[in-house]
């Protein structure tokens, strides 16, 4: 799959811009702050409905406007698909597929597949766990768009449950609320189990590719690995509350026998969450928040024998970040072989952050992709392995 044409209206710094594209390598060159990243961000947003730079949609709208339009023409196997996404300031975003009637924005998920490398990826290693959870969930939705609803359902239930716990902390909790909390426990257990089960399967898929990618980018002296840490692990602490555990994903089933979360069904995990909510209720009522669930889980990145966070050097941190993105790419390629789409690779101002050795290794790995879009401030930042079309970005547009 490749992107043949991109058109933006009132997106970020662009009142209107049209960018024709082609398969292979395209390098967008321009001074820092000129708008190169805005173009890449629009493509990434079309694929994931989220930005790699900001957490809300408001900054995506050109200042003084109340909506932005992203239009893209995609080609896959000779078949063309036109996507339109309307980003609105005061109402729900809407989409169109092949100029049909408007649909929900999330109905576009899975059509445009991308893997985006950016300097912000350092947060995947150095940042808090929410960055790594977001990484997993965005990849999950790219592979299986139905899990967009899974995430939405869980977030909705979590918000409602937290509101109830917060009211209890404020002294407004009654006996009637206890029964209501029991109901929300059931809803959250089911939604959380669906999300946890999907994440565990994804980590199983991505882990060998992560190890492979890190070896490709480095001298191979250290192994890279990822371990999912669930709040269901070590189900009960000494005070009777739920607590995160260590190890490879095991928990106690109540009889003293160890279980591996990966061996459990969604129904099994639902039951484990119900148990965990009951065990942690006193602490949750005291603190006014949900302490157990996928929203508090961690994807621990390990380099050699130590966690990458806090122990990896700057170069190792960059290699781990790049390896996570490459692992995503490899998983998507596996999916493409069974009917999915090979993703568009986007490298947004990445090469300027790397030493010469890592530049050349990364370039050699990605150069064979069907479409690679690269941004750089100067041509000298681009390795010769990525020779291809050059596009000059100027204020408000492009100059070919």
């Amino acid at each position: 799959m490749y992107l043949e044409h991109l058109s933006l209206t009132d997106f970020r710094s662009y009142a209107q811009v049209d960018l024709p594209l082609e398969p292979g390598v395209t390098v967008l060159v321009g001074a820092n702050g000129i708008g190169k990243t805005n173009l890449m961000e629009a493509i990434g947003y079309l694929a994931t409905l989220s930005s790699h730079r900001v957490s809300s949609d408001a900054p995506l709208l050109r200042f003084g406007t109340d909506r932005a339009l992203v239009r893209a023409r995609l080609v896959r196997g000779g078949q063309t698909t036109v996507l339109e996404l309307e980003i609105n300031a005061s109402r729900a975003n809407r989409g169109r597929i092949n100029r049909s009637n408007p649909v929900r924005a999330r109905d576009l998920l899975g059509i445009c597949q991308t893997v985006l490398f950016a300097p912000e990826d350092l947060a995947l290693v150095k940042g808090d766990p929410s960055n790594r959870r977001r990484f997993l969930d965005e990849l999950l939705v790219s592979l299986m768009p139905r899990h967009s609803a899974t995430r939405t359902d869980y977030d909705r239930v979590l918000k409602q449950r937290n509101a109830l716990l917060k009211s209890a902390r404020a002294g407004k909790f009654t006996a009637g609320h206890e029964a209501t909390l029991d109901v929300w426990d059931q809803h959250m257990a089911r939604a959380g189990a669906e999300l946890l089960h999907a994440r565990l399967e994804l980590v199983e898929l991505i882990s060998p590719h992560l190890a492979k990618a890190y070896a490709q980018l480095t001298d191979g002296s250290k192994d890279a690995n990822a371990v999912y840490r669930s709040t269901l692990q070590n189900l009960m602490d000494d005070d009777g509350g739920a607590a995160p555990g260590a190890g490879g994903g095991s928990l106690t089933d109540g009889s003293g026998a160890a279980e591996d979360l990966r061996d459990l069904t969604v129904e099994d995990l639902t039951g484990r969450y119900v148990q965990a909510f009951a065990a942690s209720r006193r602490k949750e009522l005291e603190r006014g928040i949900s302490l157990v669930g996928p929203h508090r889980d961690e994807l621990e990145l390990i380099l050699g024998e130590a966690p990458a966070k806090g122990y990896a050097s700057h170069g190792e941190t960059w290699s781990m970040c790049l390896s996570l993105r490459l692992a995503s790419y490899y998983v998507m390629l596996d999916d493409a072989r069974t009917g999915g789409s090979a993703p568009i690779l986007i490298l947004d101002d990445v090469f300027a952050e790397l030493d010469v050795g890592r530049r050349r290794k990364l370039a050699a790995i990605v150069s064979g992709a069907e479409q690679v879009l690269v941004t750089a401030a100067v041509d000298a930042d681009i390795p010769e392995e990525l020779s291809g079309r050059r596009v000059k970005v100027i204020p408000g547009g492009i100059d070919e």
Side-chain angles (χ1 to χ4, degrees):
M1 180 181 69
Y2 66 91
L3 182 59
E4 188 176 56
H5 192 272
L6 175 70
S7 175
L8 305 180
T9 302
D10 291 330
F11 185 93
R12 288 283 194 179
S13 58
Y14 294 103
Q16 179 66 45
V17 65
D18 289 278
L19 176 63
L21 294 163
E22 57 192 38
V25 177
T26 299
V27 179
L28 286 76
V29 182
N32 290 329
I34 207 73
K36 305 183 300 297
T37 292
N38 296 346
L39 296 166
M40 301 300 100
E41 182 182 27
I43 300 170
Y45 190 95
L46 192 65
T48 64
L49 301 185
S50 65
S51 163
H52 68 289
R53 303 161 74 190
V54 292
S55 58
S56 68
D57 288 350
L60 305 181
L61 309 183
R62 191 167 65 90
F63 187 74
T65 64
D66 59 5
R67 73 166 189 166
L69 294 175
V70 179
R71 302 180 185 88
R73 188 164 65 244
L74 295 158
V75 179
R76 177 186 174 192
Q79 182 177 355
T80 299
T81 303
V82 177
L83 299 182
E84 299 181 24
L85 180 61
E86 181 182 288
I87 307 169
N88 294 297
S90 57
R91 58 189 175 120
N93 297 340
R94 300 186 302 174
R96 292 178 187 268
I97 304 171
N98 290 330
R99 308 189 190 284
S100 64
N101 292 328
V103 296
R104 298 171 303 176
R106 77 181 192 190
D107 290 335
L108 273 60
L109 288 169
I111 299 175
C112 178
Q113 300 269 26
T114 66
V115 174
L116 193 154
F117 303 73
E120 288 82 1
D121 285 344
L122 281 176
L124 291 176
V125 173
K126 301 178 75 171
D128 62 48
S130 64
N131 294 285
R132 293 176 284 281
R133 291 193 295 266
R134 177 181 174 182
F135 164 79
L136 282 179
D137 290 345
E138 286 187 351
L139 178 57
L140 185 64
V141 171
S142 292
L143 293 168
M144 291 172 281
R146 66 182 176 84
H147 282 303
S148 173
T150 304
R151 290 177 63 194
T152 300
D153 290 345
Y154 182 78
D155 290 343
R156 176 183 57 81
V157 174
L158 175 63
K159 183 178 180 180
Q160 295 287 346
R161 189 173 186 272
N162 278 345
L164 191 59
L165 291 169
K166 187 176 180 180
S167 70
R169 192 183 185 200
K172 302 174 183 176
F173 197 73
T174 67
H177 287 115
E178 191 86 21
T180 304
L181 187 55
D182 288 339
V183 173
W184 283 116
D185 283 359
Q186 293 291 333
H187 288 312
M188 187 160 151
R190 180 67 191 189
E194 292 273 4
L195 184 55
L196 175 59
H197 191 267
R199 284 182 182 174
L200 290 170
E201 287 189 335
L202 181 58
V203 173
E204 285 288 289
L205 286 176
I206 205 171
S207 291
H209 291 304
L210 174 64
K212 169 188 170 182
Y214 192 84
Q216 288 177 319
L217 288 170
T218 65
D219 60 10
S221 60
K222 292 184 179 180
D223 294 328
N225 193 18
V227 178
Y228 192 90
R229 309 291 191 194
S230 170
T231 47
L232 282 181
Q233 294 166 286
N234 290 349
L235 186 60
M236 308 290 288
D237 67 11
D238 292 339
D239 294 326
S250 63
L251 54 81
T252 299
D253 65 2
S255 65
E259 294 179 309
D260 191 319
L261 294 179
R262 295 167 295 186
D263 296 333
L264 301 182
T265 65
V266 172
E267 288 71 24
D268 294 332
L269 292 171
T270 300
R272 301 301 184 273
Y273 271 128
V274 171
Q275 295 173 27
F277 295 152
S280 61
R281 177 164 292 188
R282 178 177 58 82
K283 285 190 174 181
E284 290 186 330
L285 289 172
E286 289 173 355
R287 296 182 59 182
I289 56 172
S290 299
L291 298 174
V292 181
H295 65 288
R296 293 178 69 90
D297 291 352
E298 165 71 292
L299 179 68
E300 185 176 13
L301 303 174
I302 301 172
L303 194 54
E305 297 181 352
K309 184 176 182 179
Y311 289 89
S313 68
H314 184 70
E316 288 173 334
T317 298
W318 257 115
S319 293
M320 179 64 86
C321 297
L322 295 172
S323 297
L324 280 169
R325 294 301 183 190
L326 284 173
S328 301
Y329 173 56
Y330 292 145
V331 168
M332 287 185 178
L333 284 183
D334 287 345
D335 185 61
R337 296 185 184 104
T338 58
S341 298
I344 300 163
L345 292 186
I346 302 173
L347 289 82
D348 180 30
D349 203 24
V350 168
F351 289 109
E353 305 286 341
L354 305 178
D355 58 43
V356 174
R358 286 185 175 85
R359 285 185 188 184
R360 299 195 65 178
K361 288 178 179 178
L362 177 60
I365 293 169
V366 305
S367 60
E370 184 171 6
Q371 187 172 49
V372 185
L373 306 177
V374 185
T375 69
V378 293
D379 276 316
D381 286 342
I382 306 301
E384 60 185 24
E385 288 85 351
L386 284 179
S387 61
R389 177 181 170 223
R390 295 295 195 267
V391 175
K392 185 177 180 181
V393 181
I394 60 175
I398 61 171
D399 180 11
E400 295 207 65

